[in-house]
Amino acid sequence: MKFTNQLITTISLFMLTAVVIVLIGAGISFYQVGALYQQRQVDTVLRLVDEGWQPGAKPEVIDVWLPKILEVGGIIDFTVLRDDIPVYHYARVDAAATAGDVFTMEYVAPLKAEANLSARVVLRPPFYNIDHSFIDLAGILSAIGLVFVGSLLMLRWFRRQLRGLELLDLRGKYILQDQLNSLVHDTHLEWPHQASQALDKLLLDLNNASKERSRFDSFIRANVFVDKRIGIGNRVFFDNRLEAALNDSTDHGGALLLVEIQDLEQINYHFGYERGDEILTAAAIYMGHFVRGISGALQARYTGTTFALLLPNTVESEAQEAARQVMKLLRRLNWPDEITDPAIYIGGVCFQFGEPILQVCAEAELALRSAELQGGDGYFMYYKGVTEENMGKGTVRWRTLLSRVLAQEKIQLDRQGIYQAPDQAPIMYELLARIQDEQGRELSARQFFPMAEKCGLLQELDRNIISQALAHLPDTELGVILAVNLSATSLLHRKYYNWLIFELLQYPKSQLNKLVIDLSEAQVSRHFQALVKPLRALKALGCQLAVDHAGQDVVSTQYISDYHLDYLKLHPSLVHDINTKPLNQMAVSSLIGNCAGSNTKVIAMGVETKAEWQCLSQLGVYGGQGYFFAYPESATAKDRTVTQKPSATNKLSAKSKLTASR
């Protein structure tokens, strides 16, 4: 503590100087008082000798009265001179012992009794006869030592209190700067102790309130999007996600499976609703394990006895295999003995971008009815010709394509702006990865990232993208930051993590402040504890943190405060037509309220119409991204068509595309 050390040193020097000055002044004063007293004694003796001196008197007469006066005055040698010739001399018995003593004083003064008569007086200095015994000296030294030790203890106590004040002030500074995680000292060292304890209590209450707010936020969203009976997504949640997938031009489609368990009605009637709910919950658990093995997949309760499984990036052959596996899992349920052949039916359909949601649901329901009528294996696919050839799938093909792209460093980064208002400059650019396939078609990250993970090329892909983003940091406009997506799987890999930290250390903190690391909410919730250390390291280096696809699933939002997020990006399924969906508005309001205490800014992704943006602005969203900000004049509910959105997205990417070469 620099200030404390300077203050304590200054106080110590002042106190030491004051003590030395007092001691020197006291010594000089005592000596002057002794000298003055001695001078007065000599003057008195000389006056008495002058008054009692008889001219021509014999020494025997003078010795009668003069020696006693001289002894009283402490005089050891006395001589009366007439024209410098001694006429009387007196010496004390111990005068011979002091013949060579340098500590003697001599006075010469004229006498008025006779002309040319003077007296010479020899005596010792003041305080010469004080007894300097060892005991007295030890007592004096002990007193000085006690004073010195007491002064040190007092200074140490004073220094500790001042240091406690500085530590308390330091914690207050970190709190105001929202950097409390940088605190390294023990709060018990702070002073005043009651103020420190009060601050601890307030911070604990705030932390508990934040956790309670997170639980409350999860409770609100759970009541909006989660089925209360079995704890999975409800029909509102499913419709939002399916609608978002159908309106996302970067997604090349997926599959919808409807799973109906008809025997549940019979079980509820004969064995009670508790037994039926047990079967229903067990089925949700079985299918939950299945969808967790597929990146981006979800399950929801479609109707009373029907489940919906949404599988991204899936062709008809894969959807049929998924239906077969789900059927096999559900037949393993603990059915009542009376149910020997459970009535389970699955209908599936593949969909692509731009298809109406009602059409996809109708096709899936038609496939489900066909499965019930045809019997057989219990599942039926509504074939639309969605194969691996026209969907561009195939592990060998993707490995070859991605290896070539990585070797030639042909990954492009498109800049898509994030705005606070449609007529303002962007506050942030999100860097979106793009590659070209063998036919020259542009593929989005959502299309090739899952395949890169399957092929074991995800870390190399992330490394290439991060390297390009870092290379563009020095050229970024003033006041604009760059956001780049990073996979949590790569970040948790030790080799990749060490490489990333080493690369970031090559840049000053002022430039890293313009870099935002994006992670998906699904990965954050899955690796919550494991991500704490690497994300704190990124924050310490100066990077900002963001979580995208927020609200995609109903998970705890405790990561907002624990990770000290800078940005939270809403999933497009919450944003789409939010002006007409009160439940979505409630969920977004809950997320915004949960971010208010941690200074996390909420950004809406996929804003397409002016009505959506007006509703989001009223709810308190910080910024937005999407078709509306690229073309605000034409982005109305009437003008939003399937053919316009892809072209607008391509134009936006082409206008702000970054060069991929380094």
Side-chain angles (χ1 to χ4, degrees):
M1 296 297 173
K2 185 176 179 181
F3 174 74
T4 300
N5 292 333
Q6 289 180 349
L7 184 60
I8 293 299
T9 303
T10 304
I11 294 175
S12 302
L13 289 176
F14 272 118
M15 293 184 64
L16 182 60
T17 303
V19 170
V20 171
I21 291 175
V22 170
L23 291 177
I24 294 175
I28 294 174
S29 299
F30 276 112
Y31 186 82
Q32 289 180 346
V33 170
L36 182 61
Y37 177 75
Q38 192 178 61
Q39 182 65 45
R40 288 181 178 178
Q41 283 185 322
V42 172
D43 292 341
T44 301
V45 170
L46 292 176
R47 182 173 54 80
L48 293 175
V49 171
D50 199 15
E51 292 177 354
W53 182 265
Q54 297 295 329
K58 295 181 179 181
E60 294 81 2
V61 178
I62 298 175
D63 286 339
V64 174
W65 58 274
L66 186 56
K68 296 180 180 180
I69 296 176
L70 296 176
E71 289 180 3
V72 172
I75 298 172
I76 59 176
D77 190 275
F78 182 81
T79 305
V80 179
L81 303 172
R82 182 183 290 116
D83 295 329
D84 296 332
I85 298 173
V87 295
Y88 178 79
H89 179 261
Y90 168 80
R92 285 175 52 175
V93 179
D94 57 348
T98 62
D101 196 348
V102 296
F103 296 103
T104 57
M105 301 177 63
E106 181 177 323
Y107 294 90
V108 178
L111 295 177
K112 298 178 181 180
E114 294 183 18
N116 301 326
L117 193 67
S118 62
R120 184 179 65 189
V121 180
V122 178
L123 70 166
R124 293 187 176 92
F127 310 109
Y128 184 83
N129 293 326
I130 295 178
D131 184 12
H132 302 292
S133 63
F134 176 77
I135 297 177
D136 294 337
L137 183 61
I140 294 173
L141 292 177
S142 299
I144 295 175
L146 289 175
V147 172
F148 182 74
V149 172
S151 301
L152 287 180
L153 292 177
M154 183 183 67
L155 291 175
R156 182 181 178 185
W157 178 86
F158 193 46
R159 182 180 184 277
R160 192 175 352 180
Q161 305 313 311
L162 289 178
R163 183 169 180 267
L165 283 173
E166 289 187 0
L167 293 176
L168 186 63
D169 178 72
L170 180 64
R171 181 152 65 133
K173 178 182 176 181
Y174 282 148
I175 292 174
L176 293 176
Q177 295 178 352
D178 197 23
Q179 298 178 352
L180 194 59
N181 57 328
S182 301
L183 194 69
V184 294
H185 68 262
D186 187 359
T187 57
H188 293 89
L189 299 177
E190 297 174 348
W191 188 85
H193 299 300
Q194 290 185 345
S196 177
Q197 292 172 1
L199 199 59
D200 289 338
K201 184 178 184 301
L202 291 176
L203 290 175
L204 180 62
D205 293 343
L206 182 62
N207 187 35
N208 292 336
S210 176
K211 292 181 179 179
E212 187 63 30
R213 173 71 194 188
S214 176
R215 289 191 289 267
F216 182 66
D217 167 69
S218 300
F219 173 78
I220 290 178
R221 289 193 291 146
N223 280 271
V224 173
F225 297 122
V226 175
D227 184 85
K228 296 180 180 179
R229 180 170 296 182
I230 57 178
I232 63 174
N234 56 18
R235 181 62 182 269
V236 176
F237 170 75
F238 167 76
D239 288 342
N240 280 342
R241 290 293 301 276
L242 179 58
E243 189 175 15
L246 292 171
N247 287 274
D248 189 352
S249 59
T250 62
D251 197 345
H252 57 200
L256 169 61
L257 300 181
L258 295 182
V259 182
E260 184 175 8
I261 306 177
Q262 288 189 349
D263 286 329
L264 280 178
E265 297 180 358
Q266 182 181 353
I267 293 173
N268 290 333
Y269 180 78
H270 292 285
F271 301 98
Y273 283 94
E274 292 184 359
R275 186 72 174 103
D277 291 345
E278 181 182 339
I279 296 293
L280 199 65
T281 303
I285 294 174
Y286 274 53
M287 288 185 286
H289 289 305
F290 173 76
V291 299
R292 276 195 290 271
I294 304 174
S295 177
L298 65 90
Q299 70 164 332
R301 192 173 184 182
Y302 192 76
T303 59
T305 60
T306 305
F307 294 87
L309 303 181
L310 196 60
L311 311 177
N313 303 320
T314 304
V315 297
E316 291 175 346
S317 59
E318 294 173 331
Q320 187 170 359
E321 176 62 22
R324 187 188 66 80
Q325 294 181 17
V326 172
M327 181 68 69
K328 185 177 180 181
L329 287 173
L330 294 180
R331 291 191 181 278
R332 296 177 182 176
L333 292 173
N334 184 22
W335 297 96
D337 296 336
E338 290 77 5
I339 307 297
T340 57
D341 187 17
I344 303 174
Y345 303 101
I346 301 177
V349 63
C350 286
F351 58 85
Q352 292 180 305
F353 164 73
E355 295 187 33
I357 183 174
L358 295 178
Q359 174 186 328
V360 174
C361 292
E363 292 171 348
E365 292 174 0
L366 180 60
L368 182 61
R369 300 284 81 81
S370 299
E372 296 175 5
L373 294 174
Q374 294 184 9
D377 295 328
Y379 53 86
F380 180 85
M381 289 298 303
Y382 187 98
Y383 289 102
K384 299 163 63 175
V386 182
T387 62
E388 291 188 355
E389 287 74 17
N390 54 34
M391 290 287 286
K393 295 179 68 70
T395 305
V396 176
R397 177 250 181 183
W398 276 106
R399 179 180 293 277
T400 304
L401 174 63
L402 292 174
S403 298
R404 177 179 58 82
V405 169
L406 289 170
Q408 299 177 0
E409 295 187 349
K410 288 189 175 181
I411 300 177
Q412 298 174 343
L413 294 183
D414 292 350
R415 298 199 311 179
Q416 190 171 24
I418 295 177
Y419 304 81
Q420 283 189 292
D423 55 346
Q424 296 181 1
I427 57 173
M428 182 191 305
Y429 283 113
E430 183 173 4
L431 303 181
L432 304 176
R434 299 282 190 267
I435 65 172
Q436 291 184 349
D437 63 5
E438 300 85 347
Q439 288 77 33
R441 295 176 298 183
E442 193 174 77
L443 304 178
S444 66
R446 186 172 298 181
Q447 293 172 288
F448 63 83
F449 255 82
M451 301 308 300
E453 187 172 5
K454 283 185 178 181
C455 298
L457 298 174
L458 182 59
Q459 294 176 27
E460 190 174 352
L461 192 65
D462 278 333
R463 184 174 306 192
N464 188 289
I465 294 173
I466 289 293
S467 297
Q468 290 193 56
L470 292 175
H472 290 293
L473 274 182
D475 302 328
T476 306
E477 299 91 334
L478 183 65
V480 177
I481 56 181
L482 300 179
V484 60
N485 289 277
L486 180 63
S487 172
T489 306
S490 298
L491 189 59
L492 293 176
H493 193 273
R494 180 178 296 274
K495 186 176 180 180
Y496 180 86
Y497 172 75
N498 293 336
W499 171 86
L500 178 61
I501 296 299
F502 179 79
E503 289 294 317
L504 294 177
L505 288 173
Q506 312 304 313
Y507 294 84
K509 197 169 186 178
S510 58
Q511 292 185 8
L512 293 179
N513 286 333
K514 299 187 293 184
L515 180 66
V516 180
I517 303 296
D518 266 2
L519 297 173
S520 70
E521 187 185 58
Q523 293 180 333
V524 166
S525 62
R526 189 179 305 129
H527 308 288
F528 179 76
Q529 292 297 334
L531 286 171
V532 172
K533 182 179 178 180
L535 292 184
R536 285 182 178 176
L538 294 178
K539 288 283 286 186
L541 290 174
C543 299
Q544 300 188 58
L545 298 179
V547 167
D548 56 13
H549 295 88
Q552 180 178 11
D553 297 309
V554 181
V555 298
S556 173
T557 55
Q558 184 60 33
Y559 62 83
I560 295 176
S561 57
D562 288 358
Y563 292 162
H564 301 280
L565 286 185
D566 298 284
Y567 300 97
L568 185 73
K569 298 181 178 180
L570 299 176
H571 191 268
S573 62
L574 288 177
V575 176
H576 185 69
D577 287 337
I578 189 174
N579 53 300
T580 62
K581 298 178 179 179
L583 294 180
N584 287 19
Q585 296 176 23
M586 184 185 302
V588 171
S589 297
S590 177
L591 284 172
I592 293 175
N594 196 34
C595 293
S598 57
N599 298 322
T600 302
K601 301 177 180 64
V602 179
I603 296 176
M605 310 300 288
V607 182
E608 298 183 349
T609 66
K610 183 177 180 179
E612 291 175 354
W613 177 242
Q614 288 177 342
C615 180
L616 291 167
S617 299
Q618 293 174 357
L619 293 175
V621 169
Y622 174 75
Q625 179 190 70
Y627 177 81
F628 168 70
F629 296 98
Y631 301 97
E633 296 181 356
S634 61
T636 61
K638 293 181 180 180
D639 295 330
R640 190 182 63 197
T641 62
V642 174
T643 57
Q644 284 179 324
K645 283 186 288 185
S647 61
T649 303
N650 292 334
K651 288 180 181 179
L652 180 61
S653 300
K655 285 178 62 178
S656 56
K657 185 174 294 183
L658 291 171
T659 305
S661 60
R662 288 178 292 163

